[in-house]
Amino acid sequence: MMSQELHPLPECCDNILYTEEQVQNRISELAKEITEHYKGILQEGEHLVLVPVLKGSYIFAADLSRKLGVPNSVDFIALSSYQDGVATTGEVKIIMDTRKSIFNKHVLVIEDIIDSGYTLSFLVNLLQTRTPKSIKTCVLLTAPKHKRKLEIPVDWVGMDIGERFVIGYGLDLGELYRNLPYIAELKQSVIDEIKNASKKKE
């Protein structure tokens, strides 16, 4: 109740798509599956390297990291492939790279959402060139596969958002609402305003 009082549904949203409880329960399930996988392959002295993509996955990565039952470290990377929050440009840029070598390490890439597939494909290909021992992917939210421009397998997926545009739990609208503990669906009128504003800039 306290969390809901602190974070009422913003006026830009229609409804809560996934409640805080649903989000946390699903992350616990993902953490259990990921833990079981890496317990079987991590050797003595090894740990899992989490590579969350900023900014959208930072809350997801923090909660997932705490729930994992294997030693893990975190090394962030920041990429950009979206323009005005809605339209995918297809061009991925590195804004901030990882700091540590992942040579011969087990790496888990953490993303907030897979939509077109551009960002995740770019990142996996980039990290592969750095010769990790293994590389797998975990994505909190997935859009329908027909929206993919590039086909890339995802090892662990949290929840499906369908055709919706969502905010909360790390996802933003103009850099706001990342702190919401739930995932909420934007109103169509808000989405239309964003698209129209984007067209005017072209």
Side-chain angles (χ1 to χ4, degrees):
M1 178 63 73
M2 179 62 73
S3 181
Q4 241 177 330
E5 290 174 355
L6 284 173
H7 304 286
L9 185 68
E11 290 185 6
C12 61
C13 293
D14 264 333
N15 60 279
I16 294 176
L17 184 61
Y18 290 107
T19 66
E20 180 178 2
E21 183 179 10
Q22 288 173 316
V23 170
Q24 291 303 322
N25 286 343
R26 182 60 185 134
I27 293 172
S28 294
E29 293 170 354
L30 288 171
K32 184 178 179 181
E33 293 172 15
I34 293 168
T35 295
E36 288 176 359
H37 171 77
Y38 284 105
K39 273 187 174 179
I41 64 172
L42 285 174
Q43 298 177 3
E44 187 176 350
E46 288 186 329
H47 69 276
L48 177 61
V49 179
L50 307 180
V51 180
V53 181
L54 294 174
K55 299 178 184 176
S57 69
Y58 80 105
I59 294 179
F60 174 38
D63 284 346
L64 182 65
S65 173
R66 286 192 291 264
K67 292 175 186 286
L68 289 175
V70 293
N72 63 85
S73 64
V74 180
D75 201 354
F76 292 101
I77 192 166
L79 304 172
S80 175
S81 67
Y82 283 85
Q83 207 166 36
D84 301 314
V86 173
T88 305
T89 65
E91 180 184 359
V92 181
K93 298 178 182 178
I94 299 176
I95 299 172
M96 183 189 78
D97 208 343
T98 53
R99 307 293 179 89
K100 301 279 189 178
S101 170
I102 59 168
F103 176 75
N104 208 32
K105 301 283 182 65
H106 292 286
V107 174
L108 179 64
V109 173
I110 300 176
E111 256 279 42
D112 56 351
I113 185 169
I114 182 167
D115 188 357
S116 66
Y118 285 129
T119 303
L120 197 58
S121 177
F122 173 88
L123 181 53
V124 169
N125 289 333
L126 173 69
L127 296 181
Q128 291 277 22
T129 67
R130 301 176 183 180
T131 327
K133 199 169 200 177
S134 72
I135 183 165
K136 290 194 173 293
T137 54
C138 179
V139 176
L140 176 65
L141 304 173
T142 181
K145 285 192 174 181
H146 70 77
K147 295 182 74 174
R148 306 273 168 85
K149 305 297 183 183
L150 295 174
E151 267 307 317
I152 179 167
V154 179
D155 297 288
W156 290 281
V157 177
M159 294 163 285
D160 195 321
I161 61 168
E163 301 279 357
R164 303 171 183 89
F165 287 96
V166 297
I167 60 169
Y169 200 70
L171 287 84
D172 74 304
L173 176 63
E175 293 299 330
L176 298 176
Y177 309 118
R178 294 188 192 276
N179 62 314
L180 297 178
Y182 49 79
I183 295 167
E185 180 180 358
L186 284 176
K187 291 178 178 177
Q188 187 58 50
S189 59
V190 174
I191 297 168
D192 291 340
E193 284 178 17
I194 296 170
K195 289 181 177 179
N196 290 335
S198 180
K199 287 178 182 177
K200 289 178 182 178
K201 290 180 182 179
E202 293 176 355

